[in-house]
């Protein structure tokens, strides 16, 4: 569950630090007080989209930090699979937003933003004000059914996804290689030309580099020879050459070596130098002897380089790339040469994979039918609890004429909210308020199957009032028996059910506007309920009604 929320320099929040509790945590406040900012900060901490404008004016950064208590062993194991260790049953998630960059951390270690989203899926489920609109799409219905039966279906769907990717690859290859006989002949002719052109060159790996070196040497042979001759003259031939000077120096030092033993060391060093110079003179003399400019050899190298560069311009940036192109061309030619057998092999693969898809999709479909029936009954029960008095809710399943990564099932939720009416798709029947309650019913049913510790509802009460509001509050209480629930609401019926009640307030002075949040004690909670019931003027009667509402809520909850 979410133990603590710490926010600093976020929008109009200066700094808040709030601890949440078990069961039902209610957040209330005037319109515009900043309730959406509180929820937004949690969203961003868990990998939501970051806008640099959220940094409070005058601040260098914004910070959101969440502390979670994790007692569920399956969640701990799932986090370990993500290489996240849980210490003392807690993890700390933080996100620091600065101009131009964002730093994400889990337990003090930097992580990518995508990791925050993966962790969020294990720890927390946020139902925002507009999420119920997703119920209008059939794909959402399929995912809800699969989520309800995820223990059985998930491993099969993982296997199905792998098989379906293979299926797509084979279909793609068939589509790309299916050509007419005339096209095939043209392609074969062109490939044969390319293969012959490259093979006839008899290329060797890195040949172009060695040829380029030799070409550069021969092209500059005269310049090299002139410079080496000058060096050799200075080193070995002239009266003032290096060799002559070293020899003279050795003779001079030998004359005085009998007077000081250190002279022997100097003489030895000079002899080593003389040996090095002698070797150098010999090597340079041999190099000059071998350095002969042969126009015929030069022209051969130049022609070879031109041939290789021409092939590189057509088939790759280096000899190795040209040779790789050659191998690919040979493979293509082999396919086209045995084209009929190749297509037959692909069609056989396609058929075998389709049989696998049919088998696994059928297994998933059987499970879906079973889960869909149970889910239908459970959601109907929840809808009745939410004051849909004459509801008829159905989960309809149809078989698609094609395979998908989800199998071949199409699922759609149908509903009738009035006696005697036929069931119709949600998009044709439900209003915004009804969709909100339907989503709450679904969430409450899924919550029984889910190990996610915390559920957040942002104004699930949209379009709800009166007795229906009371039913919604009771359903919230039911969910919060097994899960920590954070609920932002405007309705006193829901707020009265709070196990922990928080007020979000906006204050301002002559310079700044600031949002704060703090927990209310029982007396303060009753006063807040009275405000929600009575508006501007809070009378004794309103306070009495608020207290009575709170007392009735306590009797309703049986934790």
């Amino acid at each position: 569950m979410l133990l603590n929320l710490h926010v600093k320099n976020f929008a109009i929040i200066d700094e808040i630090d709030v601890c949440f509790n078990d069961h039902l945590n209610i957040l209330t406040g005037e319109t515009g007080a900043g309730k959406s900012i509180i929820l937004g900060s949690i969203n961003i901490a868990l990998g939501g989209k970051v806008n640099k404008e959220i940094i409070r004016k005058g601040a260098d950064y914004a910070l959101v930090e969440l502390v979670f208590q994790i007692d569920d062993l399956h969640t701990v194991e799932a986090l370990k699979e993500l290489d996240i260790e849980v210490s003392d049953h807690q993890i700390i998630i933080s996100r620091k937003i600065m101009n131009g960059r964002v730093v994400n951390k889990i337990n003090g270690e930097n992580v990518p933003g995508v990791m925050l989203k993966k962790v969020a899926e294990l720890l927390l489920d946020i139902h925002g004000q507009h999420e119920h609109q997703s119920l209008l799409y059939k794909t959402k219905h399929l995912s809800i059914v699969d989520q309800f039966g995820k223990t059985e279906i998930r491993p099969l769907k993982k296997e199905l996804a792998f098989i379906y990717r293979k299926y797509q690859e084979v279909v793609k290859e068939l589509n790309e290689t299916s050509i007419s006989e005339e096209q095939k002949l043209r392609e074969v002719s062109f490939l044969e030309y390319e293969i012959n052109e490259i093979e006839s060159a008899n290329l060797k790996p890195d040949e172009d580099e060695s040829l380029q070196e030799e070409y550069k040497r021969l092209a500059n042979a005269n310049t090299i020879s002139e410079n080496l001759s000058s060096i050799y003259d200075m080193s070995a031939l002239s009266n003032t050459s290096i060799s002559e000077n070293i020899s003279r120096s050795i003779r001079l030092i030998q004359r005085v070596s009998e007077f000081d033993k250190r002279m022997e060391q100097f003489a030895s060093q000079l002899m080593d130098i003389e040996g090095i110079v002698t070797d150098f003179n010999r090597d340079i003399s041999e190099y000059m002897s071998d350095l002969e400019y042969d126009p015929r050899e030069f022209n051969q190298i130049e022609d070879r380089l031109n041939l290789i560069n021409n092939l590189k311009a057509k088939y790759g940036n280096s000899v190795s790339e040209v040779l790789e192109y050659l191998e690919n061309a040979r493979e293509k030619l082999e396919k086209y040469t045995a084209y009929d057998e190749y297509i037959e092999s692909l069609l056989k693969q396609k058929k075998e994979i389709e049989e696998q898809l049919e088998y696994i999709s059928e297994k998933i479909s059987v499970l879906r039918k079973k889960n869909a029936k149970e889910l239908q009954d459970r959601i109907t029960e929840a809808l009745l609890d939410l004051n849909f008095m004459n509801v008829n809710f159905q989960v309809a399943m149809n078989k698609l004429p094609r395979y998908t990564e989800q199998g071949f099932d199409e699922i759609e939720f149908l509903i009738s909210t009035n006696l005697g009416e036929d069931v119709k798709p949600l998009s044709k029947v439900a209003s915004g308020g009804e969709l909100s309650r339907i989503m709450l019913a679904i969430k409450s049913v899924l919550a029984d199957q889910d190990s996610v510790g915390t559920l957040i509802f942002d104004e699930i009460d949209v379009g709800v009032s009166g007795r229906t509001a009371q039913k919604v509050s009771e359903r919230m209480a039911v969910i919060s028996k097994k899960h920590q629930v954070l609920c932002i609401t405007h309705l006193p019926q829901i707020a009265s059910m709070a196990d922990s009640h928080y007020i979000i307030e906006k204050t301002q002075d002559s310079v700044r506007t600031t949002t704060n949040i703090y927990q209310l004690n029982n007396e303060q909670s009753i006063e807040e309920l009275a405000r929600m019931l009575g508006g501007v003027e809070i009378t004794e009667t309103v306070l009495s009604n608020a207290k009575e509402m709170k007392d009735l809520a306590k009797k309703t909850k049986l934790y």
Side-chain angles (χ1 to χ4, degrees):
M1 76 176 194
L2 178 60
L3 289 181
N4 180 266
L5 167 66
H6 178 226
V7 184
K8 187 173 183 179
N9 301 329
F10 188 94
I12 59 173
I13 296 173
D14 182 21
E15 185 168 15
I16 63 171
D17 192 90
V18 58
C19 293
F20 295 107
N21 300 300
D22 287 334
H23 305 306
L24 185 54
N25 297 263
I26 293 292
L27 288 71
T28 61
E30 295 281 3
T31 301
K35 296 187 292 297
S36 61
I37 296 174
I38 299 294
L39 181 62
S41 68
I42 295 174
N43 255 322
I44 283 180
L46 294 172
K49 187 176 180 181
V50 173
N51 186 336
K52 66 179 181 180
E53 301 300 323
I54 59 103
I55 300 176
R56 185 168 170 81
K57 186 177 179 181
D60 296 325
Y61 68 90
L63 174 69
V64 185
E65 187 175 78
L66 306 175
V67 180
F68 285 92
Q69 174 80 15
I70 303 166
D71 297 316
D72 181 75
L73 294 177
H74 295 295
T75 303
V76 172
E77 288 302 315
L79 288 168
K80 283 183 178 179
E81 289 179 8
L82 296 174
D83 291 327
I84 295 172
E85 290 297 325
V86 179
S87 177
D88 296 327
H89 296 281
Q90 289 187 2
I91 68 168
I92 301 172
I93 298 173
S94 69
R95 211 167 191 205
K96 189 174 184 179
I97 300 106
M98 295 159 283
N99 285 318
R101 65 193 186 98
V102 178
V103 177
N104 313 303
K105 291 189 177 184
I106 297 180
N107 293 339
E109 295 187 5
N110 290 347
V111 296
V114 67
M115 178 62 75
L116 296 181
K117 293 183 178 180
K118 290 179 179 179
V119 171
E121 291 176 0
L122 298 171
L123 303 180
L124 188 145
D125 181 14
I126 298 179
H127 177 70
Q129 296 181 41
H130 306 294
E131 188 193 349
H132 57 264
Q133 295 296 327
S134 66
L135 282 176
L136 300 177
Y137 304 104
K138 294 178 185 177
T139 51
K140 179 68 174 179
H141 305 168
L142 179 69
S143 67
I144 289 171
V145 171
D146 286 355
Q147 186 179 349
F148 181 72
K150 65 181 181 181
T151 304
E152 297 175 304
I153 291 177
R154 182 178 288 172
L156 291 174
K157 285 185 70 175
K158 188 175 181 180
E159 184 181 351
L160 176 64
F162 175 75
I163 296 170
Y164 184 71
R165 281 194 295 272
K166 287 168 56 180
Y167 178 71
Q168 285 181 307
E169 290 169 4
V170 171
V171 170
K172 182 182 177 184
E173 192 169 355
L174 270 171
N175 291 336
E176 289 177 351
T177 54
S178 294
I179 58 175
S180 66
E181 186 66 21
E182 184 180 348
Q183 286 176 305
K184 184 184 77 171
L185 292 173
R186 281 202 302 268
E187 191 70 25
V188 166
S189 177
F190 188 61
L191 285 168
E192 286 176 340
Y193 169 78
E194 289 182 326
I195 291 168
N196 181 63
E197 184 178 33
I198 298 172
E199 285 181 340
S200 62
N202 196 24
L203 297 173
K204 298 176 181 63
D206 302 323
E207 179 186 3
D208 52 338
E209 294 179 11
S210 58
L211 283 173
Q212 191 65 44
E213 286 295 317
E214 185 64 13
Y215 176 83
K216 185 164 56 174
R217 186 181 75 86
L218 292 176
N220 295 279
N222 289 335
T223 303
I224 294 170
S225 180
E226 290 172 3
N227 282 274
L228 287 181
S229 293
S230 298
I231 293 169
Y232 188 71
D233 184 59
M234 290 184 289
S235 178
L237 299 181
S238 68
N239 291 331
T240 57
S241 69
I242 294 172
S243 295
E244 180 60 31
N245 283 328
I246 292 174
S247 296
R248 190 179 298 119
S249 297
I250 290 173
R251 289 194 297 273
L252 289 172
I253 207 165
Q254 284 175 339
R255 291 177 186 175
V256 297
S257 61
E258 62 181 295
F259 306 123
D260 189 338
K261 289 186 177 181
R262 283 179 298 176
M263 295 302 107
E264 293 178 3
Q265 180 183 349
F266 295 151
S268 176
Q269 289 175 333
L270 280 172
M271 289 176 183
D272 288 341
I273 295 171
E274 184 182 38
I276 292 170
V277 172
T278 301
D279 290 342
F280 172 75
N281 291 336
R282 183 182 63 252
D283 291 343
I284 204 171
S285 176
E286 289 176 357
Y287 182 90
M288 287 190 295
S289 299
D290 295 337
L291 185 64
E292 295 180 3
Y293 176 72
D294 184 348
R296 187 174 60 179
E297 181 186 0
F298 180 77
N299 289 335
Q300 287 175 346
I301 291 173
E302 187 174 42
D303 290 343
R304 181 65 176 172
L305 275 174
N306 287 336
L307 172 63
I308 292 173
N309 288 333
N310 181 52
L311 292 174
K312 284 162 64 175
K314 289 182 178 181
Y315 306 115
N317 295 318
S318 64
V319 169
S320 61
E321 287 187 18
V322 174
L323 292 172
E324 184 180 348
Y325 186 95
L326 174 62
E327 283 305 309
N328 291 334
R330 285 169 175 163
E331 288 178 10
K332 286 182 182 179
L333 181 61
E334 187 178 344
K335 286 180 181 179
Y336 285 119
T337 303
Y339 181 74
D340 293 337
E341 293 86 343
Y342 168 62
I343 293 296
E344 186 178 339
S345 172
L346 283 178
L347 289 171
K348 183 181 179 182
Q349 286 183 54
K350 180 172 177 282
K351 184 179 178 182
E352 289 173 353
I353 295 174
E354 283 177 340
E355 289 173 355
Q356 294 174 28
L357 283 174
E358 179 71 24
Y359 175 73
I360 198 76
S361 296
E362 182 62 35
K363 287 181 70 174
I364 291 172
S365 187
V366 169
L367 289 173
R368 278 181 179 146
K369 285 172 185 172
K370 182 191 76 171
N371 286 305
K373 179 63 175 68
E374 185 180 350
L375 181 65
Q376 176 179 295
D377 295 341
R378 298 275 296 276
I379 290 176
T380 299
E381 182 183 341
L383 289 171
L384 289 169
D385 246 5
L386 289 168
N387 213 33
F388 282 92
M389 299 310 297
N390 297 299
V391 69
N392 181 3
F393 180 83
Q394 295 180 14
V395 180
M397 281 184 63
N398 295 303
K399 185 174 181 178
L400 294 168
R402 65 187 183 281
Y403 298 105
T404 73
E405 194 172 9
Q406 305 294 328
F408 52 50
D409 293 319
E410 180 183 59
I411 291 179
E412 185 171 21
F413 292 166
L414 307 175
I415 195 169
S416 167
T417 56
N418 295 303
L419 192 63
E421 289 186 358
D422 295 332
V423 290
K424 295 178 183 177
L426 295 180
S427 59
K428 298 184 183 299
V429 178
S431 64
E434 287 175 327
L435 280 176
S436 183
R437 279 188 289 156
I438 293 167
M439 179 59 87
L440 177 59
I442 291 169
K443 291 280 185 181
S444 66
V445 171
L446 293 179
D448 291 340
Q449 311 290 321
D450 211 332
S451 60
V452 171
T454 301
L455 303 176
I456 296 181
F457 294 98
D458 181 18
E459 299 190 8
I460 194 73
D461 50 28
V462 171
V464 173
S465 60
R467 176 170 170 74
T468 302
Q470 180 62 30
K471 289 292 187 179
V472 169
S473 71
E474 292 171 5
R475 176 54 53 170
M476 284 283 186
V478 170
I479 298 173
S480 65
K481 287 180 182 179
K482 296 183 179 179
H483 298 266
Q484 180 194 41
V485 175
L486 275 63
C487 177
I488 296 173
T489 184
H490 288 295
L491 292 180
Q493 293 95 327
I494 295 177
S496 67
M497 286 285 183
D499 295 296
S500 302
H501 192 165
Y502 301 82
I503 183 74
I504 299 171
E505 289 184 336
K506 183 165 67 176
T507 59
Q508 59 185 48
D509 54 27
S510 58
V511 180
R512 306 295 296 267
T513 299
T514 302
T515 285
N516 290 299
I517 178 172
Y518 56 89
Q519 187 173 354
L520 304 177
N521 59 31
N522 188 64
E523 185 178 337
Q524 291 169 329
S525 178
I526 291 171
E527 289 174 358
E528 172 65 4
L529 287 176
R531 180 196 66 77
M532 298 171 76
L533 283 167
V536 177
E537 187 176 354
I538 301 176
T539 65
E540 286 299 322
T541 302
V542 174
L543 276 171
S544 178
N545 289 339
K547 185 177 184 305
E548 183 181 9
M549 184 177 284
K550 190 76 174 173
D551 291 340
L552 287 171
K554 287 179 181 177
K555 292 177 183 178
T556 302
K557 294 182 295 184
L558 297 172
Y559 295 149

